[in-house]
Amino acid sequence: MEIRGVLFDLDNTLFDHPTSARTGVDAFLRHLGTEQSDELTRSWFEIEQVNYDRFLTKELSFHEQRRERLRDFLPQTGLAVPKTDTQLDDLFAVYLRKYEEAWIAFPDAAPALLDLRAAGIPVGVVTNGNHDQQTSKINRIGLEPLIDRIFSSELTSHAKPAPEAFAEPCKSMRLSPAQTLYVGDNYRVDIEGARNAGLQAIHLNREGTRGKGTIQSLAELLPLLIEGTLVT
C-alpha cells in the first residue's frame, strides 16, 4: 500500500539522546566531585528510564520524576540527598544545562527528512514526554523546519504504545493509519504500538542487523519507499 505520510519517534531515532545524556552525566559527576565510571553512567540511564516511565503513567509530575532520579542516584555516589525540592531542582539544573548543551541529532536525521520533504511526503513526530522539552530538542538540533507536526504524550494525553498516541496524529494530519509509516527504535513501544493502531511500522535498529521490517539507518528509508520494497 502506498505510504502517504511518515511519523517518527524522537529520542534515539532522530535525536541522539544517549550521546547527549552521557555528556551531561560526565559533566554532572565532575561537578559532584565524583569519578566517572561506566557503572554510574549505566545506573543513571536505568534510573532515568524507571522514573520517566512513572511520569508517562502520570504517577509522577515531570519535575518530580527529575527529583526522584536524584534521590535514587546520589546515594550511589556516596553523597547525601538534598532535603528540599528547591535544592534538588537546583542540582538537577546542573545536569540539565550540560545535557542541553550537548543536544545533537543523528547524522542521518536531517538528510532523511529533507528527502521526504522533497518527495512531498508529510512528516510528523510522535514522542513520549514533556511537550516543551521535546519541541525544544527539535528546534535546537535544527530539525524544526523539516517537520510538519509534533505530537507529544503531554499534548495528546496518550503515551505510546497506546493506540490513541498513534491514531490521533494520523487523524490530525488527515492520514489514513494504513497509509502511514511509523519509524522508531523501541520495538515494543514504537513498532508494536504503531502496528496495533493500524499503522505500518519499521524498526530502526542502529546497532543490530537488517531483517524483515528493520533498517539500520534512516538513509535506507526513502529508497525503500520509492522502490516499493518496504516490508513492515
Side-chain angles (χ1 to χ4, degrees):
M1 183 175 291
E2 181 183 4
I3 296 298
R4 295 187 178 274
V6 179
L7 300 175
F8 288 90
D9 170 52
L10 180 59
D11 294 337
N12 306 330
T13 298
L14 299 175
F15 168 68
D16 190 348
H17 172 70
T19 295
S20 304
R22 285 191 197 98
T23 301
V25 171
D26 287 350
F28 185 55
L29 290 173
R30 287 194 296 271
H31 173 82
L32 296 175
T34 301
E35 185 176 351
Q36 190 276 340
S37 71
D38 291 342
E39 183 178 355
L40 281 176
T41 300
R42 183 168 53 253
S43 179
W44 176 272
F45 279 102
E46 290 171 353
I47 290 169
E48 174 189 64
Q49 188 63 60
V50 167
N51 286 291
Y52 204 75
D53 285 347
R54 294 173 70 193
F55 157 66
L56 292 176
T57 60
K58 301 180 181 179
E59 178 185 346
L60 298 174
S61 71
F62 186 63
H63 291 290
E64 187 58 28
Q65 62 87 21
R66 289 176 167 177
R67 297 171 189 137
E68 282 296 296
R69 285 157 63 180
L70 291 182
R71 293 184 183 113
D72 292 343
F73 181 73
L74 288 175
Q76 299 186 26
T77 70
L79 297 174
V81 177
K83 295 181 179 180
T84 70
D85 287 351
T86 298
Q87 290 171 324
L88 285 166
D89 292 344
D90 289 344
L91 187 56
F92 193 89
V94 175
Y95 162 74
L96 186 61
R97 183 168 60 253
K98 295 300 182 181
Y99 170 55
E100 291 179 348
E101 289 172 357
W103 281 353
I104 189 171
F106 283 105
D108 57 4
L113 296 176
L114 282 166
D115 285 346
L116 291 170
R117 175 144 299 207
I121 299 174
V123 170
V125 166
V126 179
T127 176
N128 285 346
N130 172 269
H131 192 74
D132 287 343
Q133 184 178 56
Q134 299 302 78
T135 55
S136 292
K137 287 177 185 175
I138 290 169
N139 290 335
R140 184 84 64 85
I141 64 180
L143 300 184
E144 189 272 335
L146 307 177
I147 295 169
D148 297 297
R149 298 288 302 277
I150 302 168
F151 303 92
S152 68
S153 58
E154 184 178 63
L155 181 70
T156 65
S157 297
H158 298 289
K160 300 177 295 182
E164 295 87 352
F166 303 94
E168 289 193 12
C170 290
K171 182 178 180 180
S172 180
M173 294 180 69
R174 298 183 179 180
L175 296 169
S176 163
Q179 293 180 305
T180 303
L181 177 67
Y182 192 84
V183 183
D185 72 291
N186 186 306
Y187 195 87
R188 182 186 69 83
V189 172
D190 293 320
I191 308 310
E192 290 184 350
R195 289 174 180 167
N196 289 338
L199 287 73
Q200 300 190 54
I202 194 161
H203 185 211
L204 175 63
N205 189 0
R206 294 184 181 277
E207 298 179 358
T209 57
R210 289 184 183 87
K212 181 180 178 180
T214 301
I215 57 176
Q216 290 180 300
S217 167
L218 295 177
E220 301 171 49
L221 188 58
L222 187 65
L224 291 176
L225 294 176
I226 292 175
E227 295 165 8
T229 56
L230 182 69
V231 178
T232 64

Short mmCIF file of all heavy atoms in Angstrom, two decimals, residues 97-143:
data_model
loop_
_atom_site.label_atom_id
_atom_site.label_comp_id
_atom_site.label_asym_id
_atom_site.label_seq_id
_atom_site.Cartn_x
_atom_site.Cartn_y
_atom_site.Cartn_z
N ARG A 97 21.64 21.58 32.24
CA ARG A 97 22.36 22.57 31.42
C ARG A 97 23.39 21.89 30.51
O ARG A 97 23.48 22.19 29.31
CB ARG A 97 23.03 23.60 32.32
CG ARG A 97 23.75 24.71 31.57
CD ARG A 97 24.13 25.85 32.49
NE ARG A 97 25.01 25.41 33.57
CZ ARG A 97 24.63 25.28 34.84
NH1 ARG A 97 23.38 25.54 35.20
NH2 ARG A 97 25.49 24.89 35.77
N LYS A 98 24.15 20.96 31.07
CA LYS A 98 25.16 20.26 30.28
C LYS A 98 24.53 19.32 29.26
O LYS A 98 25.03 19.17 28.13
CB LYS A 98 26.10 19.49 31.20
CG LYS A 98 26.91 20.39 32.12
CD LYS A 98 27.79 21.36 31.33
CE LYS A 98 28.63 22.23 32.23
NZ LYS A 98 29.46 23.20 31.47
N TYR A 99 23.44 18.69 29.65
CA TYR A 99 22.70 17.82 28.72
C TYR A 99 22.19 18.62 27.53
O TYR A 99 22.37 18.22 26.37
CB TYR A 99 21.56 17.16 29.49
CG TYR A 99 20.54 16.41 28.67
CD1 TYR A 99 20.90 15.39 27.79
CD2 TYR A 99 19.17 16.70 28.80
CE1 TYR A 99 19.95 14.70 27.06
CE2 TYR A 99 18.21 16.01 28.08
CZ TYR A 99 18.61 15.01 27.22
OH TYR A 99 17.67 14.32 26.50
N GLU A 100 21.59 19.75 27.79
CA GLU A 100 21.04 20.57 26.71
C GLU A 100 22.14 21.12 25.80
O GLU A 100 21.95 21.22 24.58
CB GLU A 100 20.21 21.72 27.29
CG GLU A 100 18.91 21.24 27.95
CD GLU A 100 18.11 22.39 28.54
OE1 GLU A 100 18.66 23.50 28.64
OE2 GLU A 100 16.94 22.15 28.91
N GLU A 101 23.27 21.47 26.38
CA GLU A 101 24.39 21.96 25.57
C GLU A 101 24.90 20.90 24.61
O GLU A 101 25.48 21.22 23.57
CB GLU A 101 25.53 22.43 26.48
CG GLU A 101 25.22 23.72 27.23
CD GLU A 101 26.30 24.06 28.26
OE1 GLU A 101 27.25 23.25 28.43
OE2 GLU A 101 26.20 25.13 28.90
N ALA A 102 24.68 19.64 24.96
CA ALA A 102 25.18 18.53 24.14
C ALA A 102 24.14 17.97 23.18
O ALA A 102 24.42 17.01 22.45
CB ALA A 102 25.68 17.41 25.06
N TRP A 103 22.93 18.55 23.15
CA TRP A 103 21.88 18.03 22.27
C TRP A 103 22.37 17.97 20.83
O TRP A 103 22.93 18.94 20.30
CB TRP A 103 20.64 18.92 22.34
CG TRP A 103 19.80 18.66 23.56
CD1 TRP A 103 19.95 17.69 24.50
CD2 TRP A 103 18.65 19.43 23.95
NE1 TRP A 103 18.97 17.79 25.46
CE2 TRP A 103 18.17 18.84 25.16
CE3 TRP A 103 17.99 20.54 23.44
CZ2 TRP A 103 17.04 19.34 25.83
CZ3 TRP A 103 16.88 21.03 24.10
CH2 TRP A 103 16.42 20.43 25.28
N ILE A 104 22.14 16.83 20.19
CA ILE A 104 22.59 16.63 18.82
C ILE A 104 21.67 15.63 18.11
O ILE A 104 21.14 14.71 18.73
CB ILE A 104 24.06 16.12 18.81
CG1 ILE A 104 24.63 16.11 17.39
CG2 ILE A 104 24.17 14.75 19.45
CD1 ILE A 104 26.12 15.84 17.35
N ALA A 105 21.48 15.86 16.83
CA ALA A 105 20.71 14.91 16.02
C ALA A 105 21.64 13.83 15.50
O ALA A 105 22.85 14.02 15.37
CB ALA A 105 20.06 15.64 14.84
N PHE A 106 21.06 12.68 15.20
CA PHE A 106 21.84 11.67 14.49
C PHE A 106 22.18 12.22 13.11
O PHE A 106 21.37 12.94 12.49
CB PHE A 106 21.04 10.37 14.36
CG PHE A 106 20.99 9.55 15.61
CD1 PHE A 106 19.83 9.50 16.37
CD2 PHE A 106 22.09 8.83 16.03
CE1 PHE A 106 19.77 8.74 17.52
CE2 PHE A 106 22.04 8.06 17.19
CZ PHE A 106 20.88 8.02 17.94
N PRO A 107 23.35 11.90 12.58
CA PRO A 107 23.77 12.45 11.28
C PRO A 107 22.83 12.15 10.13
O PRO A 107 22.75 12.93 9.16
CB PRO A 107 25.15 11.80 11.05
CG PRO A 107 25.64 11.45 12.41
CD PRO A 107 24.41 11.09 13.20
N ASP A 108 22.08 11.04 10.21
CA ASP A 108 21.19 10.68 9.10
C ASP A 108 19.80 11.28 9.22
O ASP A 108 18.96 11.11 8.34
CB ASP A 108 21.09 9.16 8.97
CG ASP A 108 20.62 8.47 10.25
OD1 ASP A 108 20.29 9.18 11.23
OD2 ASP A 108 20.59 7.22 10.28
N ALA A 109 19.54 12.02 10.33
CA ALA A 109 18.18 12.53 10.56
C ALA A 109 17.78 13.61 9.57
O ALA A 109 16.76 13.49 8.86
CB ALA A 109 18.05 13.05 11.99
N ALA A 110 18.54 14.69 9.50
CA ALA A 110 18.18 15.80 8.60
C ALA A 110 18.14 15.36 7.13
O ALA A 110 17.19 15.71 6.41
CB ALA A 110 19.14 16.97 8.79
N PRO A 111 19.14 14.61 6.63
CA PRO A 111 19.05 14.18 5.23
C PRO A 111 17.80 13.35 4.92
O PRO A 111 17.19 13.52 3.87
CB PRO A 111 20.33 13.34 5.05
CG PRO A 111 21.30 13.90 6.04
CD PRO A 111 20.44 14.26 7.23
N ALA A 112 17.42 12.48 5.86
CA ALA A 112 16.22 11.67 5.63
C ALA A 112 14.97 12.54 5.58
O ALA A 112 14.09 12.33 4.73
CB ALA A 112 16.09 10.61 6.72
N LEU A 113 14.87 13.50 6.48
CA LEU A 113 13.72 14.39 6.48
C LEU A 113 13.68 15.27 5.23
O LEU A 113 12.62 15.53 4.67
CB LEU A 113 13.74 15.26 7.75
CG LEU A 113 13.60 14.51 9.08
CD1 LEU A 113 13.75 15.48 10.25
CD2 LEU A 113 12.28 13.77 9.16
N LEU A 114 14.85 15.73 4.81
CA LEU A 114 14.93 16.52 3.58
C LEU A 114 14.46 15.70 2.37
O LEU A 114 13.76 16.21 1.50
CB LEU A 114 16.36 17.01 3.36
CG LEU A 114 16.80 18.22 4.19
CD1 LEU A 114 18.32 18.37 4.14
CD2 LEU A 114 16.12 19.49 3.70
N ASP A 115 14.86 14.43 2.32
CA ASP A 115 14.45 13.56 1.22
C ASP A 115 12.93 13.39 1.20
O ASP A 115 12.30 13.45 0.13
CB ASP A 115 15.11 12.19 1.37
CG ASP A 115 16.58 12.20 0.99
OD1 ASP A 115 17.03 13.18 0.37
OD2 ASP A 115 17.28 11.22 1.34
N LEU A 116 12.34 13.20 2.36
CA LEU A 116 10.89 13.02 2.43
C LEU A 116 10.17 14.30 2.03
O LEU A 116 9.15 14.26 1.33
CB LEU A 116 10.48 12.61 3.84
CG LEU A 116 10.91 11.19 4.27
CD1 LEU A 116 10.65 10.98 5.76
CD2 LEU A 116 10.17 10.13 3.45
N ARG A 117 10.70 15.44 2.47
CA ARG A 117 10.08 16.71 2.10
C ARG A 117 10.16 16.93 0.59
O ARG A 117 9.18 17.37 -0.03
CB ARG A 117 10.79 17.86 2.85
CG ARG A 117 10.30 19.23 2.43
CD ARG A 117 10.27 20.17 3.59
NE ARG A 117 9.36 19.72 4.63
CZ ARG A 117 8.75 20.54 5.49
NH1 ARG A 117 8.94 21.83 5.41
NH2 ARG A 117 7.94 20.07 6.42
N ALA A 118 11.31 16.60 0.00
CA ALA A 118 11.47 16.75 -1.45
C ALA A 118 10.52 15.83 -2.20
O ALA A 118 10.08 16.15 -3.32
CB ALA A 118 12.91 16.46 -1.84
N ALA A 119 10.18 14.70 -1.61
CA ALA A 119 9.26 13.75 -2.25
C ALA A 119 7.80 14.11 -1.99
O ALA A 119 6.90 13.42 -2.48
CB ALA A 119 9.55 12.34 -1.74
N GLY A 120 7.57 15.18 -1.23
CA GLY A 120 6.20 15.62 -0.96
C GLY A 120 5.47 14.79 0.08
O GLY A 120 4.24 14.78 0.11
N ILE A 121 6.22 14.09 0.92
CA ILE A 121 5.62 13.24 1.95
C ILE A 121 5.58 13.99 3.28
O ILE A 121 6.63 14.37 3.79
CB ILE A 121 6.41 11.93 2.11
CG1 ILE A 121 6.41 11.15 0.79
CG2 ILE A 121 5.83 11.08 3.24
CD1 ILE A 121 7.29 9.91 0.81
N PRO A 122 4.41 14.23 3.85
CA PRO A 122 4.33 14.94 5.13
C PRO A 122 4.95 14.12 6.26
O PRO A 122 4.90 12.89 6.25
CB PRO A 122 2.83 15.14 5.34
CG PRO A 122 2.17 14.12 4.49
CD PRO A 122 3.07 13.89 3.32
N VAL A 123 5.55 14.85 7.22
CA VAL A 123 6.30 14.22 8.30
C VAL A 123 5.83 14.75 9.64
O VAL A 123 5.63 15.96 9.82
CB VAL A 123 7.81 14.50 8.13
CG1 VAL A 123 8.58 14.06 9.37
CG2 VAL A 123 8.35 13.79 6.89
N GLY A 124 5.67 13.85 10.59
CA GLY A 124 5.34 14.24 11.96
C GLY A 124 6.23 13.50 12.94
O GLY A 124 6.90 12.53 12.59
N VAL A 125 6.24 13.99 14.17
CA VAL A 125 6.96 13.33 15.25
C VAL A 125 5.95 12.97 16.33
O VAL A 125 5.13 13.80 16.72
CB VAL A 125 8.07 14.24 15.83
CG1 VAL A 125 8.57 13.71 17.17
CG2 VAL A 125 9.22 14.35 14.85
N VAL A 126 6.02 11.73 16.80
CA VAL A 126 5.18 11.28 17.91
C VAL A 126 6.13 10.83 19.01
O VAL A 126 6.88 9.86 18.85
CB VAL A 126 4.26 10.11 17.49
CG1 VAL A 126 3.41 9.65 18.68
CG2 VAL A 126 3.36 10.53 16.33
N THR A 127 6.11 11.54 20.13
CA THR A 127 7.10 11.32 21.17
C THR A 127 6.47 11.31 22.55
O THR A 127 5.55 12.08 22.83
CB THR A 127 8.19 12.42 21.09
OG1 THR A 127 9.11 12.26 22.17
CG2 THR A 127 7.59 13.82 21.14
N ASN A 128 6.96 10.43 23.39
CA ASN A 128 6.56 10.43 24.79
C ASN A 128 7.37 11.47 25.54
O ASN A 128 8.60 11.46 25.46
CB ASN A 128 6.79 9.06 25.43
CG ASN A 128 5.77 8.03 25.00
OD1 ASN A 128 4.73 8.37 24.45
ND2 ASN A 128 6.06 6.77 25.27
N GLY A 129 6.70 12.36 26.26
CA GLY A 129 7.46 13.31 27.05
C GLY A 129 6.80 14.66 27.21
O GLY A 129 5.68 14.91 26.74
N ASN A 130 7.52 15.54 27.90
CA ASN A 130 7.10 16.91 28.13
C ASN A 130 7.15 17.68 26.81
O ASN A 130 8.17 17.67 26.11
CB ASN A 130 8.03 17.54 29.17
CG ASN A 130 7.81 19.01 29.36
OD1 ASN A 130 8.45 19.82 28.69
ND2 ASN A 130 6.93 19.38 30.27
N HIS A 131 6.05 18.35 26.47
CA HIS A 131 5.96 18.97 25.15
C HIS A 131 7.01 20.06 24.95
O HIS A 131 7.64 20.13 23.89
CB HIS A 131 4.56 19.55 24.93
CG HIS A 131 4.30 19.95 23.51
ND1 HIS A 131 4.09 19.02 22.51
CD2 HIS A 131 4.25 21.17 22.90
CE1 HIS A 131 3.90 19.66 21.35
NE2 HIS A 131 4.00 20.95 21.57
N ASP A 132 7.21 20.90 25.93
CA ASP A 132 8.17 21.99 25.79
C ASP A 132 9.59 21.45 25.57
O ASP A 132 10.33 21.95 24.73
CB ASP A 132 8.15 22.90 27.02
CG ASP A 132 6.91 23.79 27.06
OD1 ASP A 132 6.24 23.92 26.01
OD2 ASP A 132 6.61 24.33 28.14
N GLN A 133 9.96 20.42 26.35
CA GLN A 133 11.32 19.89 26.20
C GLN A 133 11.49 19.20 24.85
O GLN A 133 12.53 19.38 24.19
CB GLN A 133 11.64 18.90 27.32
CG GLN A 133 13.10 18.40 27.24
CD GLN A 133 13.46 17.46 28.34
OE1 GLN A 133 12.81 16.43 28.53
NE2 GLN A 133 14.51 17.77 29.09
N GLN A 134 10.50 18.46 24.42
CA GLN A 134 10.64 17.74 23.16
C GLN A 134 10.68 18.70 21.97
O GLN A 134 11.46 18.50 21.03
CB GLN A 134 9.51 16.71 23.00
CG GLN A 134 9.48 15.63 24.07
CD GLN A 134 10.76 14.83 24.18
OE1 GLN A 134 11.75 15.30 24.74
NE2 GLN A 134 10.75 13.64 23.63
N THR A 135 9.85 19.74 21.99
CA THR A 135 9.92 20.71 20.90
C THR A 135 11.21 21.51 20.96
O THR A 135 11.77 21.87 19.91
CB THR A 135 8.70 21.67 20.94
OG1 THR A 135 8.61 22.29 22.23
CG2 THR A 135 7.41 20.93 20.65
N SER A 136 11.72 21.76 22.16
CA SER A 136 13.00 22.46 22.28
C SER A 136 14.13 21.64 21.68
O SER A 136 15.03 22.19 21.03
CB SER A 136 13.31 22.76 23.75
OG SER A 136 12.42 23.73 24.28
N LYS A 137 14.10 20.34 21.89
CA LYS A 137 15.11 19.47 21.28
C LYS A 137 15.08 19.61 19.76
O LYS A 137 16.12 19.78 19.12
CB LYS A 137 14.85 18.00 21.65
CG LYS A 137 15.17 17.62 23.07
CD LYS A 137 14.78 16.16 23.31
CE LYS A 137 14.96 15.74 24.75
NZ LYS A 137 14.47 14.35 24.99
N ILE A 138 13.89 19.51 19.20
CA ILE A 138 13.75 19.58 17.75
C ILE A 138 14.25 20.91 17.21
O ILE A 138 14.94 20.97 16.18
CB ILE A 138 12.29 19.32 17.35
CG1 ILE A 138 11.94 17.84 17.61
CG2 ILE A 138 12.03 19.66 15.89
CD1 ILE A 138 10.47 17.52 17.50
N ASN A 139 13.92 21.99 17.90
CA ASN A 139 14.39 23.31 17.47
C ASN A 139 15.91 23.42 17.57
O ASN A 139 16.57 23.90 16.64
CB ASN A 139 13.74 24.40 18.33
CG ASN A 139 12.26 24.55 18.05
OD1 ASN A 139 11.79 24.21 16.97
ND2 ASN A 139 11.51 25.04 19.03
N ARG A 140 16.46 22.98 18.71
CA ARG A 140 17.89 23.14 18.97
C ARG A 140 18.74 22.34 17.99
O ARG A 140 19.83 22.77 17.61
CB ARG A 140 18.20 22.73 20.41
CG ARG A 140 19.65 22.95 20.85
CD ARG A 140 19.89 24.37 21.32
NE ARG A 140 19.11 24.67 22.50
CZ ARG A 140 19.50 24.38 23.75
NH1 ARG A 140 20.66 23.77 23.96
NH2 ARG A 140 18.74 24.71 24.77
N ILE A 141 18.28 21.15 17.62
CA ILE A 141 19.09 20.32 16.73
C ILE A 141 18.80 20.60 15.25
O ILE A 141 19.31 19.90 14.37
CB ILE A 141 18.90 18.82 17.04
CG1 ILE A 141 17.46 18.36 16.78
CG2 ILE A 141 19.31 18.53 18.48
CD1 ILE A 141 17.22 16.87 17.08
N GLY A 142 18.00 21.62 14.99
CA GLY A 142 17.84 22.12 13.62
C GLY A 142 16.85 21.37 12.76
O GLY A 142 16.84 21.56 11.53
N LEU A 143 15.96 20.57 13.35
CA LEU A 143 15.04 19.78 12.54
C LEU A 143 13.66 20.41 12.40
O LEU A 143 12.84 19.93 11.61
CB LEU A 143 14.90 18.37 13.14
CG LEU A 143 16.18 17.54 13.24
CD1 LEU A 143 15.84 16.15 13.77
CD2 LEU A 143 16.90 17.45 11.91
#
